Amino acid sequence: MQNYGIHIWSDDNYIIDNDKLKINYKSSPAIFEIVKEIRNGGLNGPLILRFPHLIEKQIDALYHHFTRAYDELDYQGKFQAVFPLKVNQYPYFIKALLQKGLPYHYGLEAGSKAELLIAMTYGNKNAPILVNGFKDRELITMGFLSAKMGQDITLTIEGIHELESIIEVAKIQQTMIPKIGLRIKIHSAGIGLWAKSGGVNSKFGLTSTELMEAMSLMKKHNLLEHFTMIHFHIGSQMTSIAPLKKALKEAGNVYSDLIKLGAHHLESINLGGGLAIEYAQNSKQVHYSMQEYTNDVVFVLQSIAKAKNVKEPNIIVESGRFIAAPHAMLVAPVFELFSEEYDEKALQLKEHNPPLIDELKALFLDINKDNAREFLHDSFDHLHSLFTLFDLGYVDLIDRSNSEILVNLIMKKSIILLKDENLDTLLQMQEHIQEKYLVNFSLFQSMADFWGLKQHFPVMPLSKLDEKPIHSAILWDITCDSDGEISFDTNEPLYLHSVDVAKEEYFLGFFLIGAYQEVLGMKHNLFMHPTEATIEITEDDYSVKNIIKSASIIDILDDLDYDINEIQNILSKHIKSSAFIHESEQEEILHKITELLHENGYLNTID
Ligand SMILES: *Cc1c(COP(=O)(O)O)cnc(C)c1O
């Protein structure tokens, strides 16, 4: 994996040029340089970088492929995309999305009151607002108010009682009635980690019987003219297209039959999300292309409309992951490499060592290219024996420390000796000689889906790319939780470089984190949303905009409802009453603590 699989996951968004990873767009700046510039302002901890050009690219791709498929098949419906806010509600993402989506009247989908408020406030003019999810009277009333404000809003019904609420609210707010959508329960389920959204047992949607009931309720209350859309969503990150095709057939037939039953204003099918992102670094996991996806969708819906002799439906998509994932990356500084603790200088060999230790020493001195593998294995055997001897009381703590150091030195030497060997040899050694990299970020905050679902995100260093990386790595985050670790299959290791982080900075980039991760992020150990910045790239330069610093310790505690004045008063009392602090120092110590309270909670690697 010498290029860290960028030919698989990066969609040509990044290139390796000499030693650096660069953004493959216009002036192609090196990410390393951008990061240095931002951190020169004194910002420590991890960074989220947003790239608006990658939002634009995804939006354009979606429209390009649907438009092409429409043209090829002479499809009669319209195409419309909306962004589901739950995927990323952060303002500098949403504002960039809406701006890039302006030419397409790109819409928003909301699943809660707070999201609806974002949509009503920031949504593009003449762009649709769709409301999914469970709704109470209040939320439905908000929908009516939005319609009164002249917005193109559709309330999608997830259950019959919601329709009953709409009927109630419509009696009071008669003037402007929002459009109504019905979410249908799809019989065929999705696949992959997020498949639960589809299928008969899915949380959402109406069964055929409920659809009929909804039809007669709408008829009875004169709402049928507002019923314009049916909706389904088979789950996120569908890695193959077959389940979608099945669902489309179901939805296409429901659409046609509802029209025949009198839904004369029904004109759109909303396919929800599901369009996948390739996260893999070793071999592809998404088994279809955009071309295939769009051709299949348009073809299936056209065939059914033709066969049933109804008009071809407008197609609405709610792609979230596909639009948002590529736009953001996380940059995290490496804080420490763990084998560095084992330095030859730390050895405390005795005049008379246990024989196994003398043997380890001999292995270390005599190891060469030809015997490296054998010596390495011998040294592991010795180490295990020495541990047993320690437990039995035959060797002491100094011996034990010496044996750990010697084995580690043997490992390091063998890595260097074998670094030009073929991959198989190296792979065989993997599990013994993985190097632990302590990385200044929180997995729980920044990659919640890795913690929750073992979703892999591409990772690679931003510099030293002209140097052969020799350590097969395990990544540790800085939380005090043993789940805060990313390990790699020993058949598909992540190789990182040997660096002395006291002398040079070494950053890891985690990619495709723009969908779901930010808002799912947890405050475990009180590590908060990292500092973020928007990077705009021009023909000959780039600019860093919209820097939002990670929350300070004061804000974190305030957020947990601690009383900040109380904290400061108590600390001040501790300082004043301490027997170890002279009166003349009190002011300075208090000042230092206050300063610290205004920093963020991540490790400080900037001196
Ligand atoms: C979450 C969700 C989406 C977005 O799905 P992606 O797979 O991220 O595109 C779309 N529609 C609905 C109803 C959703 O719940």
Side-chain angles (χ1 to χ4, degrees), residues 84 86-87 109 132 183 204 231-233 235-237 272-275 318-322 515-516:
K86 78 163 190 292
V87 178
E109 182 269 335
N132 294 325
R183 182 157 179 174
F204 302 105
H231 170 48
F232 71 93
H233 170 65
S236 204
Q237 185 69 359
L275 197 48
E318 297 177 334
S319 275
R321 183 185 301 278
F322 176 81
Y516 298 102

Side-chain angles (χ1 to χ4, degrees), residues 48-109:
I48 289 178
L49 302 182
R50 298 191 198 284
F51 300 112
H53 73 278
L54 294 180
I55 306 174
E56 183 172 28
K57 178 180 170 183
Q58 297 303 92
I59 292 177
D60 286 347
L62 191 62
Y63 269 87
H64 165 77
H65 280 286
F66 268 105
T67 310
R68 183 197 41 72
Y70 272 38
D71 287 348
E72 278 172 19
L73 293 166
D74 193 22
Y75 191 77
Q76 297 305 308
K78 288 185 222 137
F79 176 72
Q80 175 70 51
V82 298
F83 181 78
L85 279 161
K86 78 163 190 292
V87 178
N88 195 326
Q89 305 92 339
Y90 277 78
Y92 286 119
F93 165 72
I94 289 297
K95 288 180 182 179
L97 168 96
L98 290 169
Q99 195 225 327
K100 301 294 187 191
L102 212 48
Y104 304 109
H105 306 288
Y106 215 94
L108 292 172
E109 182 269 335

Side-chain angles (χ1 to χ4, degrees), residues 2-43:
Q2 276 328 305
N3 69 357
Y4 297 95
I6 65 171
H7 62 292
I8 300 171
W9 59 265
S10 95
D11 197 22
D12 291 331
N13 292 334
Y14 301 95
I15 40 162
I16 294 173
D17 183 16
N18 292 316
D19 61 326
K20 298 283 194 311
L21 186 68
K22 296 187 169 175
I23 299 155
N24 190 19
Y25 184 66
K26 292 188 175 170
S27 59
S28 304
I31 302 169
F32 190 88
E33 304 307 332
I34 298 175
V35 172
K36 292 284 267 196
E37 181 188 324
I38 296 173
R39 287 163 60 92
N40 278 343
L43 293 170

Side-chain angles (χ1 to χ4, degrees), residues 4 21 31-32 35 45-49 329-337 435-441 447 458-463 465 473-477 486 488 494-497 499 501 505-511:
Y4 297 95
L21 186 68
I31 302 169
F32 190 88
V35 172
L47 280 175
I48 289 178
L49 302 182
M329 67 172 293
L330 182 82
V331 177
V334 171
F335 192 71
E336 197 176 336
L337 270 63
E435 172 70 278
K436 283 95 182 170
Y437 286 73
L438 182 65
V439 189
N440 195 358
F441 81 116
M447 268 161 271
V459 51
M460 68 178 287
L462 303 183
S463 59
L465 298 171
I474 290 182
L475 308 180
W476 283 346
D477 77 358
I486 305 181
F488 295 84
L494 173 74
Y495 283 107
L496 295 179
H497 298 91
V499 274
V501 290
E505 292 194 282
Y506 188 62
F507 299 108
L508 297 185
F510 294 90
F511 297 85

Side-chain angles (χ1 to χ4, degrees), residues 6-282:
I6 65 171
H7 62 292
I8 300 171
W9 59 265
S10 95
D11 197 22
D12 291 331
N13 292 334
Y14 301 95
I15 40 162
I16 294 173
D17 183 16
N18 292 316
D19 61 326
K20 298 283 194 311
L21 186 68
K22 296 187 169 175
I23 299 155
N24 190 19
Y25 184 66
K26 292 188 175 170
S27 59
S28 304
I31 302 169
F32 190 88
E33 304 307 332
I34 298 175
V35 172
K36 292 284 267 196
E37 181 188 324
I38 296 173
R39 287 163 60 92
N40 278 343
L43 293 170
N44 62 348
L47 280 175
I48 289 178
L49 302 182
R50 298 191 198 284
F51 300 112
H53 73 278
L54 294 180
I55 306 174
E56 183 172 28
K57 178 180 170 183
Q58 297 303 92
I59 292 177
D60 286 347
L62 191 62
Y63 269 87
H64 165 77
H65 280 286
F66 268 105
T67 310
R68 183 197 41 72
Y70 272 38
D71 287 348
E72 278 172 19
L73 293 166
D74 193 22
Y75 191 77
Q76 297 305 308
K78 288 185 222 137
F79 176 72
Q80 175 70 51
V82 298
F83 181 78
L85 279 161
K86 78 163 190 292
V87 178
N88 195 326
Q89 305 92 339
Y90 277 78
Y92 286 119
F93 165 72
I94 289 297
K95 288 180 182 179
L97 168 96
L98 290 169
Q99 195 225 327
K100 301 294 187 191
L102 212 48
Y104 304 109
H105 306 288
Y106 215 94
L108 292 172
E109 182 269 335
S112 65
K113 291 174 198 171
E115 287 181 358
L116 180 53
L117 208 72
I118 295 175
M120 287 167 63
T121 311
Y122 293 102
N124 283 335
K125 217 167 169 217
N126 299 326
I129 298 175
L130 307 184
V131 188
N132 294 325
F134 297 111
K135 298 167 207 64
D136 62 2
R137 286 275 292 263
E138 240 171 58
L139 195 123
I140 289 170
T141 307
M142 271 173 81
F144 276 73
L145 296 180
S146 158
K148 253 191 174 162
M149 284 157 61
Q151 295 175 337
D152 174 7
I153 184 165
T154 306
L155 299 177
T156 298
I157 305 309
E158 311 270 359
I160 288 290
H161 67 281
E162 286 181 7
L163 186 55
E164 286 161 355
S165 301
I166 289 186
I167 293 165
E168 294 295 305
V169 176
K171 281 182 191 151
I172 305 163
Q173 311 266 351
Q174 285 161 345
T175 41
M176 284 301 286
I177 293 177
K179 292 184 194 165
I180 296 172
L182 296 183
R183 182 157 179 174
I184 60 177
K185 207 166 256 194
I186 286 289
H187 165 71
S188 44
I191 51 164
L193 293 175
W194 289 271
K196 281 203 286 291
S197 322
V200 275
N201 288 323
S202 82
K203 205 165 127 191
F204 302 105
L206 304 174
T207 61
S208 333
T209 317
E210 287 168 326
L211 282 173
M212 310 291 290
E213 195 184 336
M215 282 291 289
S216 59
L217 266 176
M218 287 190 291
K219 238 179 233 166
K220 186 169 158 207
H221 294 276
N222 293 325
L223 287 174
L224 216 46
E225 65 185 286
H226 302 285
F227 170 43
T228 56
M229 182 189 84
I230 58 167
H231 170 48
F232 71 93
H233 170 65
I234 62 168
S236 204
Q237 185 69 359
M238 45 170 209
T239 47
S240 90
I241 206 149
L244 178 69
K245 279 207 226 166
K246 269 179 92 177
L248 279 166
K249 284 180 192 154
E250 241 181 291
N253 280 301
V254 170
Y255 165 84
S256 311
D257 289 0
L258 287 176
I259 291 179
K260 299 210 154 148
L261 287 171
H264 297 303
H265 293 263
L266 177 58
E267 58 178 7
S268 305
I269 297 185
N270 174 350
L271 330 178
L275 197 48
I277 280 287
E278 184 58 81
Y279 294 101
Q281 284 188 276
N282 291 291

